[in-house]
Structure formats: C-alpha cells, structure tokens
Amino acid sequence: MPLSRRAFAQLLGTGAAAAALPRLVLAARPSGIVRLSANENPYGPSPAAIAALRDAFGLVARYPDEEADLLAADVAKLHGVSTDGVILGNGSSEILKLVAAAFTSSSRKLVMASPTFEAIARYARAGGAEAVTVPLDGSYAHDTAKMAAVAGAGVIYVCNPNNPTGSITPAATMRSLIESAAPSTMILVDEAYHHYAANPSYESVVPMVKTRPNLIVARTFSKIYGMAGLRAGYAVAQPEVIRKLDEQKAWDSMNVMALVAARASLADNAYVAEGRRKNSATKHDLVARLDGLGYKTIPSETNFVMIDLRREARAVIGAMRERRVHVGRVFPAMPRHLRVTIGTPEEMARFVEAFQEVVS
Ligand code: PLP
C-alpha cells in the first residue's frame, strides 16, 4: 500500500513532532562566524514551513508541477490576480534574469539606480544590453524623473525598499513613474524587502499590475520568510508579460521542497508579524548603540542598515572579518558606508563589540 505523505513523515519520526517543532537556530555555524553580510533572516523559516519540508520527503521522486500550480494559485489569490499573472522563480534572482533576458538587448537598455541591487545589471550585460545608472536623490530615493528620461530603455529597475541603502521611494513617486512610463519600457519593481517597510510613504505597487501592462513586481521568500537557502521567488504581471518571461525560463526551476515551504510560509501571517517585530526592535537597539558611538545611519525600512563611517569602508570590513564578523561589501557609489544585516540580538552584540574595537 502506498504511503500517504503524513504516514511517511511519521515513519521518519517527525509526524507528531512536527506540530511542536522547535524553531531552527541558524546562526551557529561551526566556524563561529557571525554572518551579517547577505540580508538573510537569522530566525529561518516559519515552523509551519519546516513541518511542510519534513512532510515533503515523499514527493522528491516526482517533478514538482502540482506543487508549483498550488503555490502559483496561492500567490495569485494573495494578490488578487489570475494564476496566469504569476510566474515562480528559483529565487527572485531568477525573475530578474528572466526580465533582463526578455526585455533588454543591445538596443534596449537597462536603467537602474546607483547604488542599488546589482544582479540585474550582470544579467542584462550578458545579453549585450547597456546598463545605465542614475544616482539616488538626496533622500536616497530613486530619481525616477531622470530614470524615465533615459532614451531607449527596455527596463527601468526600481528596488523598493532599496538595497543597499534601506531607503524607500515614496508611493506617489512610484505611481507617477508607472503611470507616465513609455508603454515600450517595462518597469520592474523589486519588492524583496516589502514586509519590513513601516514608513507610511511606502506602498507596494502590486495593485497597479491590473491596469499597467508594462509593470512587473518581484518578491522573494529569502527575506522575511527566512528561506534564502531554499531559493524561492515570484513575479506578478499581466498574462502577456508572464508568457514572455516564461519563454526564457527553465522548466521546473523551483524545487518541490522550496514550493511546499513557500506555500506554508504564505499561510503563516503571525510568523511574518513576529519577524517584522523582532527585526524592528533589534534594528532600533543597534541604531541607538551606533548613535551613542557617534555614527549616523540612513533611516532603514529593511532588515539591514547603512552606517556612515566617515572613512573608507574597505579596511573596516576587513578588520571586522578578522574578528569573524562578516558585513556587507564595499559599494562603489558609497565607499564610506558600511552595510550591516540585522541579525539576532546576540549577533548584534558581537557586531557592536567588534565595531567598537575596529573604529576606536
Ligand atoms: N532583490 C534584492 C533587492 C535583494 O537584496 C536580493 C538578495 O539579497 C534579491 C533580490 C535576491 O533574492 P533571492 O534570494 O530571492 O534570489
């Protein structure tokens, strides 16, 4: 008799335990390194996602089409769109790659901010496209007027909230960019840090997808959902755009474990709220500590902060590394700022201790 999924999990001794699963403690690696360099969520996936992962071992022999359909349906329901308005990706990085492949070329540029999340520039250049950068404005928002004025744009990429500055581009600015962009230019809004944004001027642009055929919104399960190692993301856009992205995509690029964990995560709103609260409390503590040490930070709507070092960041990053605290890399447009991810309170205590030693 074939084993049901639940029976299989019980066979592994996890069925009953799954309901009361302990939360993963991800921070402790044998190296003792405190990793505050990649804006991951130190608390990991929701217990419901971990239970779903354990229940899914019995599915790995099969291609993941059914689970992909189920996740696409959940995402569609969440955003009030039809399932043909959703595409899943092997992380939102894959979504960025698909957008670059489908909508940039040697004659259609990528327009992006400086500094911003750079991955899409790599993908666009690999396809022969020019990547044009436009500096953020004085409040670290995207300078959308200048971005929209670049001639020959295939894609305008807006990361909101922005990595690495942690700043937002206000809702009104986003709306006017999207409403005024040439129909031949795709606007890709990367909302990887959406759940952390608390500023009332921030707003997701997902609701605009219904009326804007040149808008794509990317989301990830790597941040608030704590699944960076599983690789899961998606985009929402009008069906014709999704079809063009799908033409570029490898079949079944999201694996079955990521799919089941993503579904369970989407259903666990309480875990999202808890993650947001913990991040905010730890971030406030860190900012206050840094303030006490005389260091200003850019107001952050994300799970990382940008610290004004008032000196070159490179040596500080190296000295922190020697103390086994990994922080963000040098960002050429802001070489005197240090980006640090918000970890657990214990990790941030290690960060502050090392930082004090390094800057004193
Ligand atoms: N977009 C932004 C703004 C990011 O900061 C990151 C990762 O740090 C990604 C996309 C990639 O996320 P994923 O893990 O979903 O590929």
Side-chain angles (χ1 to χ4, degrees):
M1 197 172 55
L3 276 180
S4 71
R5 264 205 258 175
R6 185 141 313 279
F8 186 82
Q10 273 161 358
L11 195 68
L12 292 173
T14 59
L21 269 174
R23 297 204 163 161
L24 281 189
V25 179
L26 301 175
R29 276 186 161 156
S31 58
I33 288 168
V34 175
R35 184 168 142 129
L36 303 171
S37 53
N39 304 340
E40 297 143 335
N41 176 343
Y43 303 104
S46 108
I50 296 168
L53 285 168
R54 294 196 177 177
D55 276 359
F57 289 133
L59 300 174
V60 300
R62 305 281 177 201
Y63 287 107
D65 39 307
E66 280 179 46
E67 288 70 26
D69 288 348
L70 290 170
L71 177 62
D74 286 356
V75 169
K77 191 165 167 217
L78 174 71
H79 294 302
V81 298
S82 57
T83 49
D84 54 5
V86 173
I87 187 165
L88 305 177
N90 188 254
S92 60
S93 300
E94 183 181 24
I95 301 294
L96 306 188
K97 194 166 196 282
L98 300 179
V99 174
F103 299 110
T104 69
S105 66
S106 55
S107 58
R108 304 178 79 200
K109 296 171 193 158
L110 168 72
V111 181
M112 64 196 288
S114 173
T116 193
F117 187 61
E118 294 136 342
I120 193 167
R122 234 180 106 226
Y123 304 139
R125 287 190 192 113
E130 184 189 343
V132 178
T133 56
V134 175
L136 296 174
D137 71 13
S139 40
Y140 302 103
H142 283 67
D143 190 336
T144 53
K146 284 207 181 108
M147 294 176 91
V150 175
V155 173
I156 297 179
Y157 171 74
V158 180
C159 183
N160 197 29
N162 190 45
N163 179 10
T165 48
S167 47
I168 56 151
T169 299
T173 311
M174 293 300 296
R175 273 199 296 269
S176 67
L177 169 71
I178 293 164
E179 277 159 7
S180 64
S184 57
T185 301
M186 277 291 156
I187 311 286
L188 169 60
V189 183
D190 183 341
E191 295 187 344
Y193 299 97
H194 161 79
H195 296 91
Y196 294 110
N199 188 320
S201 298
Y202 167 81
E203 184 177 279
S204 168
V205 294
V206 169
M208 294 187 78
V209 162
K210 277 197 191 109
T211 53
R212 310 309 303 188
N214 58 341
L215 175 63
I216 304 168
V217 186
R219 292 275 184 96
T220 179
F221 287 90
S222 298
K223 308 300 174 183
I224 197 88
Y225 296 114
M227 289 175 37
L230 279 165
R231 314 305 301 131
Y234 64 88
V236 179
Q238 293 199 355
E240 199 181 317
V241 174
I242 295 293
R243 269 195 297 280
K244 289 196 179 126
L245 297 178
D246 197 44
E247 281 167 11
Q248 304 289 336
K249 193 170 115 96
W251 284 348
D252 299 323
S253 68
M254 229 177 117
N255 73 76
V256 74
M257 302 303 264
L259 288 163
V260 298
R263 276 197 86 201
S265 298
L266 277 186
D268 193 348
N269 290 327
Y271 191 72
V272 169
E274 188 189 331
R276 194 186 295 129
R277 186 188 54 70
K278 283 189 198 156
N279 178 71
S280 167
T282 311
K283 184 165 63 178
H284 273 95
D285 281 356
L286 174 70
V287 168
R289 293 291 304 272
L290 289 166
D291 212 42
L293 295 172
Y295 286 91
K296 297 282 170 236
T297 52
I298 298 175
S300 162
E301 301 293 332
T302 59
N303 65 340
F304 54 88
V305 291
M306 212 40 169
I307 306 166
D308 183 359
L309 288 180
R310 307 187 304 269
R311 68 171 97 171
E312 293 296 310
R314 187 174 302 280
V316 174
I317 293 168
M320 295 293 289
R321 213 177 171 85
E322 280 165 18
R323 287 163 179 77
R324 295 176 166 237
V325 178
H326 290 191
V327 292
R329 62 192 177 280
V330 176
F331 296 96
M334 298 180 77
R336 293 159 74 88
H337 279 75
L338 182 76
R339 192 194 69 189
V340 58
T341 302
I342 305 301
T344 62
E346 297 72 30
E347 288 173 325
M348 298 329 283
R350 280 271 310 272
F351 167 80
V352 171
E353 193 188 353
F355 184 75
Q356 270 180 294
E357 276 176 32
V358 167
V359 296
S360 65

